[in-house]
C-alpha cells in the first residue's frame, strides 16, 4: 500500500506539472485563457528590466507599436486642471498598486486624529484634491493579461499579484500556494483548510437541520466579512448564491487583489465607525470566518450593523474562537455575544464544530419588550431613499419589516416596493430590462469579443440593475454602483438578487488598479456636471483608467454630444482607443455610444 501511495503521488505530481505547462503554453497561443489577439488591440508587451530612465512603450509586435509620447512623472492634481500635450503623465512604477483612498502613507498622517480603538484607520480616507495623483497607474513588471474564468478561480499569474506574504502565513490553511509562474488557490480558509465545499455543506446542514443546503435554506445573497482571498464566495457560485465579499487593506497583504484577480466579486472595506455602503435588509446571510472583528466591543455597535444589513429570517454565521474555545477570555466574549444577540431578538439555532449560527427573527414584540427594559434601543425611522454612504454607525436596531422575495431566477424580475416609493412604476421597471437585453447583444457584437473575454464588470450608474440582470446567465459578475447623490435604487437591485455598492464618483473607488474588464457608464458624467471638487470629466476618466484592466473596455452613453466629443478627444491622451457608434436609447431615439479600449502598455 505504501508503494502504491508513493507511485500515486508521483503520478499526481507529474500530471499537475504537465497541466501547468499546458496552461502556460495555452496563454500564449490564446486557447485555454482566451487571449485571442483578434479581439484585442494589443498583445501583452515584451518583458524588460526596469531601467533607471523609464518610459511607457507598447509591444514591438503590436500593429501600432512604438514608444508613446506620455512621460513618466509623479504628478499631482492641480487647479486649474491641465493635461500635457504629450498626453497624461505616467506614475512611476512604484505606484502600480496605488489606491488613493486607502493610501498607507496618507493614512499615517491622520493617525493622531483617528479612533484607533475602533480601527478607523482601516476605513476610506481620501486625500484632498491637491494630494491625489494625477497620472496613469502603470502595471507591474511582467504583467500578463489575466487568466480567464473559470480557470482563474484556481490559478492566477504570480507576476500580476507578486506578493508572497499570504502564501507564507496562510499556506498551511490552503489559502494560496505558489506554483512556478502561478498562484494556486486550493479553496481553503482559516476555518475550512480542507476546502470550502465541505464547509459550505456543513453550514447548509446547520441551517436546515440536516435536511438541505444553503440554497434550500433560502440563501441567495451573502455578505462575507473579512473574506480573505474569497474562496468561500467562489464555491458558493455553484449554488447560485451571489456574495459581496470585502476585507480591509491590512496585514493580510493584498487579499482583495487576489480575489479580484481570480474573478470573484470583492471590494476593499472595513466595518469600523461608518455604515457599510450597502442598503438595509439586503442579505440572507452575513458570514464571519475569523474575520477579525470584535463584535462584542462598543456596546455591540458593529453587530447592530449586521442586523441592519440582514433580511428578516437571515443568518449570521460566526466561525471564530469564542464559538468553541474555553480558554483565555473567549467564554466571556461568548457570553457578551449571547447577551447582544438576545437583545436584538436573534435566536441561536446551531453551534457545531467551530461555528455558531443565529437567525434574525421576525419578532417586533420581542424588540419592543427589550427596548422597554433598556436592553436595546430601537432606531427612529429613516428615509429609505437615502443611500448608506459615509453614514455613522447607529447604536440601535430597526423594527422588522418582512418582505417575501421569490427564489432565483424569478427574483431577477422582482418589482421592489422600494421602487414604488421612489415613483418608479412596474411598467418602467419591465421596459428597462427589455431595453438592456437588446443593448447588450449590440455591445458584444460591436466590441467583437466572446462572452468569456469579460469577467469583472462594473455598471457605474446602475439605476434599476437591468444591465446586470441580462448578464446574469453569462460568465461574469457585475458590481452595480448607485451614485450616492441619487435615490437609493440599490435596494431594488438587491431585491433582484444582485450585488452592488453606493459610491460617489467625485472620489476614487475602493478597489485595486486593474480590477475590471468592462466599465459601463450610462448617464454618469451628466450626473456630476454641476459638481467640481474632484468631479470633472478628466477626474472620472482617470479613475476609470486606474480600475480598468489593460485591453479592458469602457462604454459611455446617455450623454450630450459635447461630453461624448470631449471624452473622444481626451481618450488618446489616456492611451485609449475609441469607436463611436449610434444605438437606440430607452426613448427609441438614436444616441451616440462611445466604445473605448485601454491599450496594453508598460513602463520599461
Amino acid at each position: 500500500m505504501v508503494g502504491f501511495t508513493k507511485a500515486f503521488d508521483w503520478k499526481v505530481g507529474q500530471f499537475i506539472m504537465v497541466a501547468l505547462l499546458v496552461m502556460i503554453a495555452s496563454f500564449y497561443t490564446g486557447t485555454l485563457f482566451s487571449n485571442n489577439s483578434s479581439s484585442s488591440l494589443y498583445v501583452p508587451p515584451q518583458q524588460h528590466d526596469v531601467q533607471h530612465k523609464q518610459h511607457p512603450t507598447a509591444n514591438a509586435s503590436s500593429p501600432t507599436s512604438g514608444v508613446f509620447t506620455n512621460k513618466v512623472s509623479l504628478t499631482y492634481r492641480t487647479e486649474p486642471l491641465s493635461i500635457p500635450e504629450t498626453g497624461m503623465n505616467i506614475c512611476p512604477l512604484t505606484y502600480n498598486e496605488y489606491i488613493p483612498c486607502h493610501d498607507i502613507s496618507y493614512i499615517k498622517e491622520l493617525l493622531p486624529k483617528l479612533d484607533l480603538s475602533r480601527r478607523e484607520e482601516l476605513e476610506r480616507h481620501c486625500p484632498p484634491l491637491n494630494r491625489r495623483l494625477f497620472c496613469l497607474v502603470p502595471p507591474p513588471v511582467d504583467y500578463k493579461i489575466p487568466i480567464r474564468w473559470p480557470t482563474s478561480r484556481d490559478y492566477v499569474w504570480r507576476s500580476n499579484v507578486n506578493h508572497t506574504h499570504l502564501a507564507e502565513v496562510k499556506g498551511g490553511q490552503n489559502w494560496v500556494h505558489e506554483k512556478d509562474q502561478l498562484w494556486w488557490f486550493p479553496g481553503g480558509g482559516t476555518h475550512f483548510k480542507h476546502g470550502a465545499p465541505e464547509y459550505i455543506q456543513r453550514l447548509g446542514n446547520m441551517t436546515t437541520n440536516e435536511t438541505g443546503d444553503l440554497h434550500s435554506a433560502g440563501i441567495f445573497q451573502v455578505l462575507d466579512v473579512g473574506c480573505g482571498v474569497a474562496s468561500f464566495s467562489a464555491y458558493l457560485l455553484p449554488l447560485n448564491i451571489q456574495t459581496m465579499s470585502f476585507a480591509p487593506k491590512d496585514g493580510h497583504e493584498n487579499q482583495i487583489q487576489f480575489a479580484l484577480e481570480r474573478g470573484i466579486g470583492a471590494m476593499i472595506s472595513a466595518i469600523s465607525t461608518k455604515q457599510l455602503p450597502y442598503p438595509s435588509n439586503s442579505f440572507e446571510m452575513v458570514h464571519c470566518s475569523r474575520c477579525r472583528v470584535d463584535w462584542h466591543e462598543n456596546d455591540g455597535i458593529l453587530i447592530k450593523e449586521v442586523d441592519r444589513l440582514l433580511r428578516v429570517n437571515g443568518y449570521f454565521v460566526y466561525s471564530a474562537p469564542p464559538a468553541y474555545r474555553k480558554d483565555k477570555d473567549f467564554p466571556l466574549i461568548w457570553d457578551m455575544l449571547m447577551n447582544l444577540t438576545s437583545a436584538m431578538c436573534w435566536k441561536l439555532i446551531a453551534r457545531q464544530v467551530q461555528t455558531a449560527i443565529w437567525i434574525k427573527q421576525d419578532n417586533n414584540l420581542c424588540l419592543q419588550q427589550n427596548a422597554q427594559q433598556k436592553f436595546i434601543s430601537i432606531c427612529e425611522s429613516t428615509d429609505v431613499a437615502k443611500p448608506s454612504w459615509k453614514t455613522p454607525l447607529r447604536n440601535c436596531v430597526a423594527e422588522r419589516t418582512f418582505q417575501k422575495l421569490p427564489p432565483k431566477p424569478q427574483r431577477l424580475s422582482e418589482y421592489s416596493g422600494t421602487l414604488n416609493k421612489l415613483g418608479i412604476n412596474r411598467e418602467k421597471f419591465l421596459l428597462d430590462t427589455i431595453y438592456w437585453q437588446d443593448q447588450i447583444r449590440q455591445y458584444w457584437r460591436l466590441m467583437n469579443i466572446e462572452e468569456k473575454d469579460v469577467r469583472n464588470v462594473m455598471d457605474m450608474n446602475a439605476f434599476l440593475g437591468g444591465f446586470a440582470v441580462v448578464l446574469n446567465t453569462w460568465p461574469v459578475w457585475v458590481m452595480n454602483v448607485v451614485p450616492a447623490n441619487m435615490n437609493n435604487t440599490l435596494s431594488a437591485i438587491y431585491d433582484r438578487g444582485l450585488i452592488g455598492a453606493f459610491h460617489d464618483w467625485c472620489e476614487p473607488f475602493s478597489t485595486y488598479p486593474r480590477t475590471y474588464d468592462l466599465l459601463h457608464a450610462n448617464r454618469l458624467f451628466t450626473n456630476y456636471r454641476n459638481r467640481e471638487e474632484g468631479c470633472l470629466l478628466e477626474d472620472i476618466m482617470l479613475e476609470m483608467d486606474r480600475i480598468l484592466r489593460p485591453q479592458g473596455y469602457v462604454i459611455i452613453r446617455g450623454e450630450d454630444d459635447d461630453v461624448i466629443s470631449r471624452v473622444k478627444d481626451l481618450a488618446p491622451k489616456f492611451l485609449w482607443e475609441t469607436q463611436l457608434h449610434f444605438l437606440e436609447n430607452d426613448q427609441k431615439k438614436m444616441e451616440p455610444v462611445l466604445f473605448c479600449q485601454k491599450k496594453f502598455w508598460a513602463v520599461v
Side-chain angles (χ1 to χ4, degrees), residues 472-521:
N472 184 67
T473 58
W474 295 40
V476 306
W477 70 272
V478 181
M479 175 70 81
N480 292 282
V481 176
V482 171
N485 64 332
M486 300 183 71
N487 282 332
N488 173 16
T489 56
L490 191 58
S491 292
I493 289 172
Y494 270 89
D495 286 349
R496 303 182 80 172
L498 306 170
I499 60 172
F502 296 111
H503 184 65
D504 183 352
W505 288 112
C506 295
E507 299 179 1
F509 195 74
S510 288
T511 194
Y512 279 83
R514 301 171 300 280
T515 290
Y516 292 97
D517 300 295
L518 172 63
L519 301 175
H520 185 245

Side-chain angles (χ1 to χ4, degrees), residues 249-266:
K249 193 172 186 293
D250 62 3
H252 282 167
E253 187 180 72
N254 297 76
Q255 52 189 331
I256 292 298
Q257 190 177 19
F258 277 115
L260 293 165
E261 186 71 14
R262 297 173 72 185
I264 301 168

Side-chain angles (χ1 to χ4, degrees), residues 205-231:
N205 292 337
M206 293 171 71
T207 52
T208 63
N209 196 23
E210 308 290 333
T211 62
D213 57 20
L214 293 179
H215 190 274
S216 62
I219 295 169
F220 301 99
Q221 286 153 293
V222 172
L223 180 67
D224 192 11
V225 182
C227 63
V229 295
S231 288

